[in-house]
Amino acid sequence: NWLFSLFQVVHAHKPHFMALHCQEFGGKNYEASMSHVDKFVKELLSSDAMKDYNRARVYLDENYKSQEHFTALGSFYFLHESLKNIYQFDFKAKKYKKVTGKEIYSDTLESTPMLEKEKFPQDYFPECKWSRKGFIRTRWCITDCAFDLVNIHLFHDASNLIAWETSPSVYSGIRHKALGYVLDRIIDQRFEKVSYFVFGDFNFRLDAKAVVETLCAKATMQTIRAADTNEVVKLIFRESDNDRKVMLQLEKKLFDYFNQDVFRDNNGTALLEFDRELSVFKDRLYELDISFPPSYPYSEDSSQGKQYMNTRCPAWCDRILMSHSAKELILKSENDEKIVIYDHIGPNVCMGDHKPVFLSFRIAAGAGKPIANVHKCCVVQ
């Protein structure tokens, strides 16, 4: 289902250049499941849907035995046969190399000069001992159009109860720190500055306190504590009348709201006002308007493609963000045809607990260069 839904999008948009960023490769039980990854990669590379992509680069962080470095990130790049002269940056040699053939890199990516990979320091999220959060960065040049593509996975909310306590939550602050670290890293003085796209699982959450106060504005709250520690273990919000009907139950890993339609109706637009984590970075990052429902947490039951799990408040965790110079690249298209689409994949199909999101756009010839220096640039999607 996952691959079929992806191939449908590829067929519909026919990109010349395609970047696919995956997180948690091998799944949560990666030690047992990593053996399935090779089959997935082979199917992706050899499928009929991808037959016109004659060059590819695949970077898989599969080295789970190295807890110090393991990020479980997978970055795939496909080049259509019609696309000429595409180069990838060698961070060690500090020069571009022409991309030919198909190559797969896995296990220890630390020795691969064609990317930069970092796992966030342990002290960023000390309560999660084996966190796999980090980023992988690659740099590409299509004639004169140079850009960085960053695969990112930021920290999750460990407890709904803690997330609910403050606005913004402590977890929001941790993500803010980690994303700031990545942005500082990719524009530091070591390499020439280029436009960049950062996309993956940011784990951005809605402002939990504000959402609960809005959804349960007319409810009364019951607090349940553990008998031995007096620690709050559950919050129950009931309607004041209507037979004290339960509206929301909140536990560490339970967010059970009685009406999921609020997250789906009109693509959850009413809740976008609570999506506030990106506002801190408005001077550094740009995002197109969101017109798809929250991308997480979907049921992993294959028959429940549109159902959310009652584990977390649905949120737009999966995003495609860009520098303001990258925004200029994608919106300055040929003949003023603004063919830019930002959407999700597999709306009615089980794609796992996250729905993938995609951005499709065209870069005009000579985009990103001063008028005096316009060169014939490949059109790329």
Side-chain angles (χ1 to χ4, degrees):
N1 281 350
W2 201 98
L3 283 170
F4 180 74
S5 298
L6 173 70
F7 295 153
Q8 281 186 315
V9 174
V10 173
H11 179 73
H13 298 277
K14 298 179 171 54
H16 292 165
F17 179 84
M18 183 176 118
L20 172 66
H21 284 176
C22 302
Q23 300 79 41
E24 292 290 11
F25 230 75
K28 295 179 178 68
N29 302 314
Y30 48 84
E31 293 186 31
S33 305
M34 200 61 86
S35 58
H36 300 294
V37 171
D38 289 343
K39 181 185 177 187
F40 172 85
V41 173
K42 285 173 184 170
E43 194 166 342
L44 188 55
L45 288 172
S46 64
S47 69
D48 190 58
M50 304 298 290
K51 67 180 187 302
D52 294 333
Y53 296 86
N54 61 351
R55 289 150 293 169
R57 291 293 181 273
V58 178
Y59 303 102
L60 303 173
D61 188 1
E62 296 183 306
N63 190 21
Y64 59 82
K65 293 180 180 176
S66 174
Q67 291 290 353
E68 184 182 349
H69 299 291
F70 181 50
T71 62
L73 293 172
S75 297
F76 298 71
Y77 304 99
F78 301 92
L79 287 61
H80 194 272
E81 60 189 11
S82 64
L83 192 59
K84 310 300 180 191
N85 299 324
I86 186 164
Y87 298 85
Q88 189 182 357
F89 192 66
D90 182 320
F91 288 97
K92 191 172 182 180
K94 293 190 176 182
K95 64 181 182 182
Y96 288 94
K97 295 183 177 177
K98 190 168 184 176
V99 180
T100 59
K102 297 180 179 181
E103 297 176 1
I104 301 173
Y105 299 86
S106 60
D107 291 337
T108 51
L109 297 184
E110 282 70 35
S111 58
T112 305
M114 308 310 287
L115 58 81
E116 285 198 319
K117 178 175 86 77
E118 283 192 55
K119 181 176 174 177
F120 294 120
Q122 178 73 45
D123 61 4
Y124 272 39
F125 201 54
E127 65 185 274
C128 191
K129 187 178 179 183
W130 300 123
S131 168
R132 297 174 289 283
K133 309 302 192 288
F135 70 94
I136 288 178
R137 167 202 197 182
T138 57
R139 176 170 290 190
W140 303 84
C141 185
I142 301 170
T143 58
D144 283 330
C145 302
F147 49 85
D148 279 353
L149 300 178
V150 183
N151 184 352
I152 193 168
H153 194 184
L154 297 183
F155 300 99
H156 59 282
D157 279 14
S159 166
N160 291 322
L161 293 169
I162 293 174
W164 178 82
E165 288 174 353
T166 57
S167 177
S169 77
V170 62
Y171 303 117
S172 174
I174 293 168
R175 288 188 284 272
H176 176 190
K177 180 179 178 182
L179 181 54
Y181 175 86
V182 174
L183 297 182
D184 290 343
R185 189 74 173 142
I186 63 178
I187 63 165
D188 63 18
Q189 301 302 312
R190 294 168 303 141
F191 308 105
E192 177 189 1
K193 288 185 175 65
V194 300
S195 299
Y196 56 83
F197 296 86
V198 187
F199 51 113
D201 179 5
F202 292 83
N203 262 313
F204 288 162
R205 305 302 170 98
L206 303 185
D207 186 322
K209 192 168 186 63
V211 168
V212 171
E213 288 173 353
T214 300
L215 294 180
C216 304
K218 297 179 180 178
T220 55
M221 185 180 79
Q222 176 187 358
T223 303
I224 298 175
R225 299 176 180 271
D228 51 347
T229 64
N230 205 37
E231 178 186 3
V232 175
V233 292
K234 189 171 188 173
L235 300 174
I236 302 175
F237 296 83
R238 300 177 185 273
E239 289 189 25
S240 301
D241 46 21
N242 196 22
D243 295 328
R244 306 271 297 152
K245 177 183 174 182
V246 173
M247 298 182 71
L248 172 68
Q249 295 184 77
L250 202 65
E251 297 178 20
K252 180 179 181 179
K253 294 187 177 181
L254 178 74
F255 188 97
D256 189 0
Y257 188 63
F258 79 104
N259 179 20
Q260 278 201 4
D261 288 343
V262 70
F263 304 108
R264 287 190 289 256
D265 287 350
N266 197 24
N267 293 320
T269 303
L271 295 167
L272 275 171
E273 65 173 293
F274 305 111
D275 178 69
R276 299 168 178 168
E277 294 195 32
L278 190 56
S279 61
V280 179
F281 295 95
K282 62 179 182 296
D283 294 335
R284 306 179 73 177
L285 291 169
Y286 173 79
E287 181 180 30
L288 282 115
D289 291 339
I290 292 175
S291 58
F292 48 87
S295 64
Y296 171 86
Y298 280 91
S299 169
E300 294 178 295
D301 180 337
S302 61
S303 66
Q304 299 286 332
K306 299 177 81 168
Q307 185 79 13
Y308 287 108
M309 282 193 287
N310 293 327
T311 52
R312 308 286 181 190
C313 176
W316 288 273
C317 291
D318 308 276
R319 316 281 276 258
I320 299 177
L321 312 178
M322 65 199 80
S323 62
H324 288 282
S325 59
K327 167 194 170 186
E328 294 303 315
L329 281 181
I330 74 167
L331 296 180
K332 196 185 291 182
S333 53
E334 290 180 301
N335 304 321
D336 288 329
E337 291 180 37
K338 292 185 171 57
I339 310 171
V340 182
I341 299 169
Y342 187 32
D343 206 347
H344 64 323
I345 298 176
N348 303 312
V349 176
C350 178
M351 303 289 284
D353 56 350
H354 290 256
K355 294 285 189 202
V357 302
F358 75 95
L359 177 65
S360 173
F361 59 90
R362 297 177 72 83
I363 294 179
K369 284 288 177 184
I371 296 300
N373 282 330
V374 170
H375 294 278
K376 188 62 181 171
C377 181
C378 303
V379 176
V380 59
Q381 268 187 316

